[in-house]
Amino acid sequence: MATKLTTRLASAMLTSAMALSLFAVLPAHAADNDTPPAETPTTTETTTTDPTAPDPISDEDLKKQIQYYAEAFKQADGNYRIGEPLAGGTATGTVPSGLEKYYAQKFTGWDRGIMSDTVVQHGYLIVPIDYSDPSKGNIALYLNMYAATGERKGAIVFNNGGPGGSASDYVSGSPVWSNEIKKLNENYDIVGIDPRGVGDSLPFSQCAVDKFTDLTPDNPSVYTTDIEKETEANINTTKKHVNSCFAYTGKAFGFDEAKRELFLRNVGTTNAARDMDVLRSVLGEEKLNFIGLSYGTRLGYVYAQNFPQNVGKFTLDGAMNPFEGTAPTKADETPNLSDEKLRELNAHYLSQGKEFQATYEKFAQWCYSLKGNTKTWRELSEGTLDNDEVASCPLLLPEVQPHEGDLADDNVSLATQQVQNILRPLTTKPIKYVSDYGTTNGLSFDVASTALAGGMYAENKWPTVAHGLQQILSKKVDFAFVNLYDRYSRTDNYGRAGYTTVTCADSANPAAASVANYIRIEKMYHDVTPFRDPGAQYHDIGNLDSCSVWPFAGTLAAGTSVENLPNVLVVSTRNDPATAYENGEVLAKALFGTELTVEGAQHVAFGKQQPGYECANNIIVNYMINGTIPADGQYPPICSVASFRAAAEVPDVPENPATPPQPSKDESNPGEQPQNQTQLEEQKDEKQVKTAGTTSKTAGKAAKSASHKLAQTGVNVAALSVVMLMVIASGAVMVTMRRR
């Protein structure tokens, strides 16, 4: 029996380099799905029947997996070792005591090439594993940099989301395909550095024998009502995943068990922010200019917390709430949690689910509008779909309408009932198909619902979603639809391993591990996200989240307000499915910055080419070049600006932030958009009234309110995600510069 794939991936999940914030509920591999090594292991490790034990792999095979990445660190004896930073550089700005050699280094393995008439350089930044004791060893962070095409005025560093997104891949595609980044590149070096444990940085987080098959839909899960057996299999799968992270990560570089654990303790966001300050110095910049998307807003915020004096021009687009997802407090470290506390601790996961549902309802309204359409699927998708039939909406077909004996719930929207009738048959009868690689795969409910959620990140993916649902009804599989799953889950650029290790290093709460809590949270999630609900008969299937079986608690400091910063630009899209719109105001107030509201229905605004987004792109680009933000009313109604520079307030996090509100007129018909400037102003006034009663917070007071956060409770490894799907939504093409 293939087990149900329930271990979650994340937040922001992830998509194109621009918007890859991986969605909060990517399923994990079943326990028997990991690809075995190609050769017989040569180590003393022995095969075991323990279902939680990592798959055996030889040291030699682990080395083979990094040989195309680690040329700069290969020793004469054939082993790989990351040594000291390359001396000879010049430090810029303030240098913390004891870190001089890192702040004054030259890039290791620095190479130069030409791509589309643009100079691109790539190499490694060497940083300590543990900033509190650099003598314990170093790691290497991979970066791509596009030199300014005109007069250089500085550098702009990007992070495209995750945790787990490859910023080096992101920028290697963006200067070629994005007009916005081309404009910035005229006077600024464009820099993408893979955070520690992510992408091509070394060592990368590794939680499977083969990095490239960490997540695939090759072996479909089949739901059963054998609750006990399903639950046991799920927990074993989660434990195997976690044990594998500690068994494989860094071993190819000679890391022993203690050093692997040290690395995984230090792979979180706080140290990634410290790495960015080293990068700032090596780039020769007094101030760090930064564009962070989705999880990148978390990274930017933590940098501002730790290095406020070094903050330059910061754009944080697709905001995460800075008071969620931090280390658990003593009060959180118990499995005996009330429903109220569970909602509080999983606020991001539940609010994200609500936003996904709202965006799905908007997709359904768009789908309904295809009635009477005369365009083909090829025309509707602008050539993405290879189908010359006239496009129609699968949600309108007679067989998916609610009827006696169907699989849909009675207490959900019509659009949700329709998609439940399409997807729920897959819970027990996946559709078999042959992949591009010649393997026989199965389209399961988990893969299909994940692909559906992935399609919510960008409106230009909606034709692919509609076509994919239509094909499912015909017992066929559309590869473009399946790729909405696969592109978010592949670990060579955006995957579960990096997401898991960074998220758990930040917020793991193993003291609160509880299968019962996991089940309770999943039921809460299905209440707010019914379009992804497999059915009530499966709600009691349990699991433990990866961060629940993590061997130590996360260490990310609680959120605070950060004063005396330059004017930070926070961008928040009204109907962002992955990062709730309300987070933008919270983050802007915490940083005493300015919020740009964008009216739309997709994840992040920067780089989007849909009609109307020109104003958001223009505001961001002009801000990053000139440091100025226009007053409200100077742009079309899709963009509005609110400043929190004067007497900024950090709002209290509500006691029950994830409780779904009663549907308003707009929510009951998500396809409606504000029609004029007056309606937009009324909406903004209403939003401001809701937070006007808060009092001014000092940093200490904000820290107290930050106890309302998303500390993992043993139920939700993916709550921060989002955070991972940030990359595919923009549609940017990723072109890696590494030789492989």
Side-chain angles (χ1 to χ4, degrees):
M1 176 189 70
T3 60
K4 177 187 171 196
L5 307 182
T6 54
T7 301
R8 297 189 216 81
L9 198 61
S11 70
M13 288 228 301
L14 289 201
T15 63
S16 108
M18 175 73 55
L20 195 64
S21 70
L22 209 54
F23 32 127
V25 226
L26 278 182
H29 241 346
D32 58 346
N33 285 352
D34 287 328
T35 302
E39 299 178 12
T40 303
T42 58
T43 65
T44 57
E45 299 176 79
T46 57
T47 304
T48 176
T49 57
D50 180 2
T52 70
D55 291 330
I57 184 171
S58 70
D59 291 350
E60 201 58 39
D61 282 339
L62 283 171
K63 290 176 187 177
K64 288 179 181 178
Q65 293 187 8
I66 67 168
Q67 62 184 339
Y68 298 110
Y69 303 88
E71 298 170 34
F73 305 103
K74 190 171 184 178
Q75 308 298 306
D77 60 3
N79 293 317
Y80 295 90
R81 182 178 61 84
I82 299 169
E84 294 300 303
L86 186 63
T90 302
T92 307
T94 303
V95 179
S97 178
L99 299 177
E100 291 82 2
K101 65 182 179 182
Y102 298 100
Y103 275 72
Q105 68 180 288
K106 290 183 177 180
F107 292 115
T108 295
W110 201 232
D111 199 4
R112 182 179 183 275
I114 301 293
M115 182 177 179
S116 298
D117 298 323
T118 302
V119 176
V120 59
Q121 296 169 289
H122 50 94
Y124 293 92
L125 181 76
I126 306 301
V127 294
I129 297 174
D130 182 355
Y131 276 92
S132 68
D133 187 356
S135 68
K136 292 182 178 179
N138 296 322
I139 56 177
L141 310 182
Y142 180 74
L143 72 150
N144 280 332
M145 184 177 78
Y146 284 77
T149 58
E151 180 186 356
R152 185 186 186 277
K153 296 181 179 179
I156 298 175
V157 177
F158 283 77
N159 182 276
N160 54 294
S166 171
S168 68
D169 278 353
Y170 171 56
V171 301
S172 68
S174 296
V176 178
W177 304 108
S178 166
N179 290 330
E180 291 73 35
I181 295 187
K182 279 186 177 180
K183 179 66 176 176
L184 295 174
N185 194 209
E186 291 176 8
N187 299 113
Y188 290 88
D189 299 338
I190 301 299
V191 183
I193 186 166
D194 292 347
R196 52 177 58 206
V198 170
D200 289 348
S201 289
L202 300 171
F204 52 75
S205 299
Q206 187 172 2
C207 302
V209 167
D210 185 345
K211 177 185 178 188
F212 298 100
T213 58
D214 190 11
L215 272 179
T216 63
D218 295 351
N219 201 357
S221 60
V222 176
Y223 284 70
T224 78
T225 53
D226 189 339
I227 303 301
E228 183 176 347
K229 188 173 183 179
E230 291 269 13
T231 299
E232 180 183 9
N234 287 339
I235 293 172
N236 287 340
T237 298
T238 301
K239 289 182 177 179
K240 178 176 182 177
H241 176 64
V242 169
N243 291 338
S244 298
C245 297
F246 285 81
Y248 307 141
T249 301
K251 195 172 183 182
F253 290 90
F255 287 18
D256 60 16
E257 183 177 352
K259 197 168 183 178
R260 295 198 296 272
E261 179 177 328
L262 179 72
F263 173 76
L264 292 173
R265 282 184 181 273
N266 286 277
V267 78
T269 304
T270 299
N271 284 319
R274 292 171 178 162
D275 298 337
M276 287 210 301
D277 199 55
V278 176
L279 175 65
R280 172 201 58 75
S281 173
V282 178
L283 290 173
E285 299 296 303
E286 295 282 348
K287 305 285 186 180
L288 178 70
N289 298 319
F290 179 73
I291 295 180
L293 308 173
S294 196
Y295 164 79
T297 68
R298 163 61 54 82
L299 182 58
Y301 166 79
V302 174
Y303 182 88
Q305 263 192 316
N306 287 275
F307 302 97
Q309 74 281 5
N310 294 340
V311 171
K313 290 170 285 190
F314 267 41
T315 294
L316 305 178
D317 185 0
M320 294 185 65
N321 188 322
F323 303 109
E324 298 174 350
T326 56
T329 66
K330 289 296 181 183
D332 301 331
E333 295 176 352
T334 173
N336 300 317
L337 300 170
S338 65
D339 281 358
E340 181 180 18
K341 189 67 172 177
L342 279 176
R343 288 185 183 277
E344 175 188 312
L345 296 177
N346 291 273
H348 176 79
Y349 180 52
L350 297 177
S351 65
Q352 188 186 60
K354 181 172 73 71
E355 295 302 327
F356 268 115
Q357 181 68 33
T359 307
Y360 167 74
E361 298 287 350
K362 289 184 177 295
F363 158 78
Q365 296 300 319
W366 169 86
C367 190
Y368 297 154
S369 73
L370 295 179
K371 187 175 183 179
N373 166 70
T374 58
K375 290 185 177 180
T376 66
W377 287 111
R378 188 187 305 275
E379 293 169 332
L380 191 67
S381 66
E382 297 183 345
T384 301
L385 298 172
D386 184 19
N387 189 331
D388 291 317
E389 297 176 358
V390 174
S392 60
C393 178
L395 301 179
L396 294 176
L397 293 173
E399 60 265 38
V400 306
Q401 306 313 308
H403 56 275
E404 190 68 28
D406 68 3
L407 297 178
D409 297 329
D410 295 329
N411 59 342
V412 295
S413 70
L414 175 61
T416 298
Q417 290 177 311
Q418 291 162 340
V419 81
Q420 285 178 346
N421 278 331
I422 295 173
L423 295 185
R424 283 185 172 178
L426 300 177
T427 56
T428 56
K429 296 180 180 179
I431 301 173
K432 291 184 178 181
Y433 68 99
V434 178
S435 74
D436 292 335
Y437 303 100
T439 59
T440 300
N441 296 345
L443 181 62
S444 66
F445 175 86
D446 287 322
V447 173
S449 66
T450 298
L452 174 58
M456 297 303 100
Y457 277 83
E459 293 177 67
N460 62 4
K461 299 298 180 184
W462 289 2
T464 300
V465 172
H467 185 258
L469 294 176
Q470 184 187 75
Q471 294 296 98
I472 289 173
L473 284 171
S474 301
K475 299 294 187 284
K476 299 177 183 177
V477 174
D478 173 25
F479 286 178
F481 176 74
V482 174
N483 283 342
L484 292 174
Y485 169 91
D486 192 50
R487 290 176 68 184
Y488 302 127
S489 60
R490 283 179 58 193
T491 54
D492 51 334
N493 51 42
Y494 201 99
R496 179 172 50 148
Y499 175 78
T500 298
T501 59
V502 175
T503 299
C504 296
D506 283 351
S507 58
N509 186 12
S514 166
V515 174
N517 285 348
Y518 176 95
I519 293 170
R520 289 161 65 197
I521 285 295
E522 285 302 285
K523 289 179 179 178
M524 294 176 186
Y525 184 84
H526 291 141
D527 284 344
V528 297
T529 322
F531 85 101
R532 299 199 63 191
D533 184 357
Q537 67 270 39
Y538 307 119
H539 285 180
D540 289 329
I541 296 175
N543 200 350
L544 287 174
D545 183 83
S546 294
C547 292
S548 299
V549 298
W550 209 249
F552 45 80
T555 58
L556 182 62
T560 62
S561 61
V562 185
E563 300 180 357
N564 301 318
L565 295 174
N567 192 6
V568 173
L569 177 61
V570 176
V571 185
S572 197
T573 300
R574 181 79 64 179
N575 294 289
D576 187 323
T579 49
Y581 168 71
E582 291 77 11
N583 292 348
E585 183 173 331
V586 175
L587 182 59
K589 286 186 174 183
L591 298 175
F592 298 80
T594 297
E595 180 186 15
L596 167 62
T597 291
V598 182
E599 305 297 331
Q602 53 192 352
H603 187 42
V604 308
F606 180 69
K608 293 295 192 300
Q609 303 303 313
Q610 284 78 6
Y613 278 80
E614 295 89 348
C615 64
N617 285 317
N618 288 339
I619 290 171
I620 294 170
V621 169
N622 289 335
Y623 164 73
M624 293 304 298
I625 293 174
N626 304 313
T628 58
I629 302 172
D632 195 25
Q634 296 185 22
Y635 280 87
I638 192 174
C639 293
S640 56
V641 177
S643 176
F644 300 101
R645 296 293 291 162
E649 299 172 349
V650 179
D652 287 317
V653 179
E655 286 298 314
N656 205 359
T659 301
Q662 294 300 313
S664 64
K665 180 178 179 181
D666 285 341
E667 288 172 325
S668 63
N669 185 3
E672 292 184 5
Q673 294 289 337
Q675 298 300 310
N676 53 48
Q677 182 65 32
T678 301
Q679 286 179 292
L680 290 169
E681 291 172 351
E682 288 174 351
Q683 287 185 358
K684 198 157 195 71
D685 289 343
E686 180 183 2
K687 178 190 72 174
Q688 292 171 343
V689 167
K690 289 179 181 177
T691 59
T694 59
T695 57
S696 181
K697 303 290 188 293
T698 63
K701 182 78 176 230
K704 182 177 180 180
S705 72
S707 63
H708 303 287
K709 66 185 180 306
L710 176 70
Q712 301 298 329
T713 66
V715 283
N716 183 13
V717 98
L720 279 185
S721 121
V722 140
V723 251
M724 268 184 75
L725 220 60
M726 243 196 63
V727 186
I728 193 170
S730 71
V733 177
M734 292 180 287
V735 183
T736 61
M737 297 304 301
R738 299 299 310 282
R739 296 185 298 276
R740 298 183 178 176

